[in-house]
Amino acid sequence: MPFILPEGLAPEVYPLAWLVGGWHGEGVVGYPGIEESAFTQDITFSHDGGPYLAYTSTIRLVVAPDDAAALAAQDAEPAAAAEPDDAPASTPVPSQEPGPVWATESGFWRVAPERPEGLAEDQHPVEVLLSDPSGFLSVYLGAVGNGRIDLASDLVARTATGADVTASTRLYGLVNSELMWAQDLAAFGQPMQTYASARLARVEDEE
């Protein structure tokens, strides 16, 4: 299916056009002092005709039942209505209740008007400003090209009580029409290392 530029999108952000829309999927987060956990994520890239994209992200932890009895109860309802040819009653049924919010952030993505020296011809400079309600904001600089975005924090500012984040890098890629990303983080006295990653599918607009 050919890609169609979103209507009214500013030409300045054409290199980021493939991000526009809603995305949903699953990932995993883990860090020293943070137990590795699965999560679901919703991302939205939108525009209002200005030379930037607005961005929001919400990550919710996937919460497993506390005990075997809870898991059995979760399976019981669909099993009762199953026909002989249906899937086995033991097939787990995921909870429809959203899990607790782990992280949320919002901000703006733009293509810088001036190209830095040394940037490949098939890449464009990117500037990203993100704010986090845990008390810090980050400015990322990087490049986009060929369905890939590489970002590294240029500035991290935080309040007196904000999360002790010092640096971060992010990689986004469009792979087989899915948005994949990975983030490394230096925080809480720890050196830069793997923090989170996810695979997201485009959310189609309902007619």
Side-chain angles (χ1 to χ4, degrees), residues 23-115:
W23 302 85
H24 175 81
E26 296 77 38
V28 63
V29 59
Y31 202 71
I34 300 174
E35 183 179 357
E36 184 172 297
S37 302
F39 64 76
T40 62
Q41 183 181 28
D42 290 284
I43 287 179
T44 300
F45 287 93
S46 60
H47 74 95
D48 59 9
Y52 49 81
L53 298 182
Y55 161 88
T56 61
S57 167
T58 300
I59 289 176
R60 294 179 179 273
L61 296 181
V62 175
V63 179
D66 291 334
D67 51 39
L71 184 59
Q74 195 176 57
D75 290 345
E77 213 172 288
E83 296 296 332
D85 293 335
D86 287 343
S90 59
T91 302
V93 178
S95 171
Q96 299 302 310
E97 292 296 322
V101 173
W102 170 259
T104 182
E105 61 183 10
S106 61
F108 298 94
W109 295 51
R110 63 194 293 263
V111 175
E114 297 183 2
R115 295 178 61 86

Side-chain angles (χ1 to χ4, degrees), residues 102-141:
W102 170 259
T104 182
E105 61 183 10
S106 61
F108 298 94
W109 295 51
R110 63 194 293 263
V111 175
E114 297 183 2
R115 295 178 61 86
E117 292 185 9
L119 192 65
E121 288 297 321
D122 59 354
Q123 291 185 312
H124 300 271
V126 176
E127 300 173 348
V128 179
L129 172 65
L130 300 179
S131 61
D132 189 297
S134 63
F136 71 96
L137 60 83
S138 305
V139 175
Y140 287 87
L141 302 180

